[in-house]
Amino acid sequence: MRPHVELIQEDDYVWHGAELVKGEGRASERRLSVDEEDGSSSLRIDFHTDWGRGPGIHHANTEYYVLDGSMTYGGREIGKGAYVYAPKGVPTDAITFAEGSRILHYREYGDAGFDSVDSLAHPRWENAREDVIVIDSDAMTFDAVPNPGPMPGLFIKYLHVDPVTGFYTRLVHAQEGWADHRLAHHPCYEEAYTTQGHMEYNFGTLDLGTYFFRPARVKHGHFTTMEGGATWLLRSDGELVNWYTQREWLRWGGEAVNYGPGGSRMRWSQSSHDLGSGPTWRSEKDLADLAASTRFQQDQGIDDADYVQHGQGVDPSLVAIAKAIDIAQLQGGHSDHGHSHDHDHGHDHSHDVPSADWGADPATLEHADERTDGNAHNWGQGRMWKAGDPVPAPIISSIPVRSRSRGRWDGDGM
């Protein structure tokens, strides 16, 4: 699988010689993320000379998106915003890039292999489907997203949608002031490269050239959009269903065997609230925007909780633990049974501890085929999901791969 990358500034990546098989010219690539199991890759490529190759068949579902410069496909030249989708196993026409061009390049479900062919009349691979798509995205207009979150202000340009799997690539723009005070997780992976603007969210700062790859079910959010809005090229390996969490908390701990003071034994515990204590990185405007997002929902008559920044107010993990203790006692706990345990008669004082009611059976919080399907080795792999299926809980991914110059590690990043 690909690692959880959240969040990396492209300038923190090293350059490699671009792996563009059977092409003529010089180019370098930054490997934003790579799946070593199936060859899938997300790349940023710079062309140092004119570059091109003739007709052929890609070994992966392949996408090209021009950030700067120009691309010519089948004799049609398109500048910034040019987009080509070349399905795996389908003959594609000649493609060239002008010197100095900068692009995003994606390969999905296959490697960089490329078989040259004489013409587009060459037979497709067996089971190949879809057709080549060529788009001038700069000539398109943004449409309002049907479900923009808690408030209006999200817009979209669809570049490619797979009619079978729901895999899709799109440009998304959030206008200045758009915010979402909730955390979301999805049944599919989500990745994005920032092409314009500035947004703050729980894992860091999204600005020009920042990138994330987020496996399925990793929660993320508390978005606030800065001056000028923000735009991304965003991809998912399935329909992007949003499942929201509020008043989120996490506490973990254990017993240190040899790393307490002087190498001694000690108990320790931390919570997302603990890590968020002290001066918050959120500005007053951030907090105001998140509060406005809450009010917008409530004004629509939607039952919604107020946003509380990690580290402020009462630690919700302690509240949850206190409630669990109460539940355990009500269900037959033995907090007061009339005698002391300050003695040792050599017999076992263990008691059956009742299960606390956390409100949901854990078995209902997983995909029905999570442990048995073809992706059982990969917990972060997207699964097909339809309305009525169980909604899986988020998975824990609290310290993703992140950049030296971007990304945060604090309570809000949980």
Side-chain angles (χ1 to χ4, degrees):
M1 66 173 291
R2 299 203 219 187
H4 179 192
V5 174
E6 192 137 24
L7 141 100
I8 285 185
Q9 163 59 235
E10 69 168 1
D11 289 343
D12 290 339
Y13 284 97
V14 299
W15 288 104
H16 303 266
E19 190 177 11
L20 295 169
V21 179
K22 298 182 181 177
E24 295 184 2
R26 290 192 303 107
S28 298
E29 68 184 24
R30 284 171 164 157
R31 297 168 186 169
L32 304 178
S33 68
V34 176
D35 189 329
E36 294 291 352
E37 291 178 322
D38 68 5
S40 299
S41 303
S42 299
L43 311 168
R44 251 279 295 115
I45 296 178
D46 280 11
F47 293 96
H48 310 304
T49 66
D50 289 347
W51 180 94
R53 65 183 171 193
I57 293 177
H58 295 82
H59 291 193
N61 291 342
T62 303
E63 296 171 274
Y64 305 87
Y65 178 82
V66 176
L67 296 167
D68 292 299
S70 66
M71 171 177 65
T72 301
Y73 178 85
R76 177 189 177 189
E77 182 177 3
I78 310 174
K80 180 178 177 293
Y83 173 81
V84 166
Y85 172 70
K88 181 177 184 175
V90 174
T92 58
D93 214 332
I95 189 169
T96 62
F97 293 93
E99 178 181 351
S101 295
R102 301 168 56 250
I103 73 167
L104 295 171
H105 181 49
Y106 302 98
R107 298 191 293 264
E108 205 70 37
Y109 312 127
D111 59 23
F114 182 85
D115 300 332
S116 298
V117 299
D118 293 332
S119 74
L120 298 184
H122 192 279
R124 297 180 172 214
W125 287 4
E126 185 179 359
N127 298 324
R129 57 185 179 81
E130 297 192 277
D131 296 310
V132 175
I133 296 171
V134 184
I135 291 174
D136 179 359
S137 70
D138 273 13
M140 300 169 64
T141 57
F142 276 106
D143 296 320
V145 175
N147 298 300
M151 60 195 308
L154 273 185
F155 303 91
I156 195 166
K157 294 180 182 181
Y158 290 97
L159 303 181
H160 165 248
V161 181
D162 187 314
V164 174
T165 66
F167 193 114
Y168 69 121
T169 302
R170 64 275 196 203
L171 290 164
V172 176
H173 176 75
Q175 69 182 18
E176 179 180 341
W178 182 87
D180 193 338
H181 56 287
R182 307 164 298 183
L183 291 182
H185 66 289
H186 314 298
C188 53
Y189 82 53
E190 185 178 28
E191 71 169 335
Y193 177 95
T194 308
T195 63
Q196 174 269 327
H198 177 191
M199 172 180 277
E200 297 288 345
Y201 77 127
N202 67 327
F203 282 111
T205 298
L206 286 165
D207 55 12
L208 183 63
T210 51
Y211 169 83
F212 66 76
F213 180 92
R214 185 184 304 126
R217 296 174 56 183
V218 174
K219 57 186 174 63
H220 54 283
H222 305 328
F223 296 108
T224 55
T225 310
M226 304 294 108
E227 183 179 354
T231 308
W232 314 272
L233 191 141
L234 198 149
R235 303 170 74 245
S236 296
D237 65 338
E239 184 178 355
L240 197 70
V241 180
N242 291 308
W243 298 314
Y244 293 111
T245 300
Q246 289 185 284
R247 295 175 176 169
E248 66 282 349
W249 59 270
L250 181 66
R251 177 167 289 276
W252 65 107
E255 189 162 302
V257 175
N258 61 349
Y259 57 94
S264 63
R265 181 182 292 268
M266 72 171 184
R267 288 188 305 163
W268 66 271
S269 180
Q270 287 182 309
S271 74
S272 49
H273 183 275
D274 297 331
L275 293 175
S277 297
T280 176
W281 58 268
R282 288 284 190 188
S283 69
E284 290 299 320
K285 183 179 185 304
D286 271 351
L287 296 175
D289 285 346
L290 292 165
S293 174
T294 303
R295 287 195 303 273
F296 185 90
Q297 287 281 85
Q298 293 169 344
D299 289 346
Q300 308 305 306
I302 299 171
D303 182 19
D304 203 17
D306 290 340
Y307 174 81
V308 178
Q309 173 71 20
H310 283 286
Q312 299 181 8
V314 177
D315 186 339
S317 72
L318 297 181
V319 174
I321 291 170
K323 288 180 178 179
I325 292 172
D326 287 344
I327 291 168
Q329 290 174 349
L330 289 171
Q331 291 177 347
H334 58 283
S335 61
D336 182 10
H337 43 67
H339 67 275
S340 170
H341 283 263
D342 295 336
H343 53 274
D344 182 5
H345 299 303
H347 59 268
D348 185 4
H349 284 286
S350 64
H351 299 265
D352 291 335
V353 178
S355 298
D357 180 5
W358 293 100
D361 179 353
T364 67
L365 300 178
E366 292 193 12
H367 189 285
D369 302 322
E370 188 84 63
R371 306 297 181 182
T372 58
D373 68 9
N375 297 311
H377 66 292
N378 185 344
W379 205 16
Q381 177 72 38
R383 261 73 174 186
M384 296 295 286
W385 185 89
K386 62 181 183 301
D389 287 350
V391 175
I395 59 176
I396 301 298
S397 186
S398 54
I399 310 183
V401 177
R402 61 196 182 104
S403 191
R404 290 191 179 100
S405 63
R406 295 293 190 278
R408 282 184 292 269
W409 170 233
D410 58 24
D412 205 35
M414 298 303 294

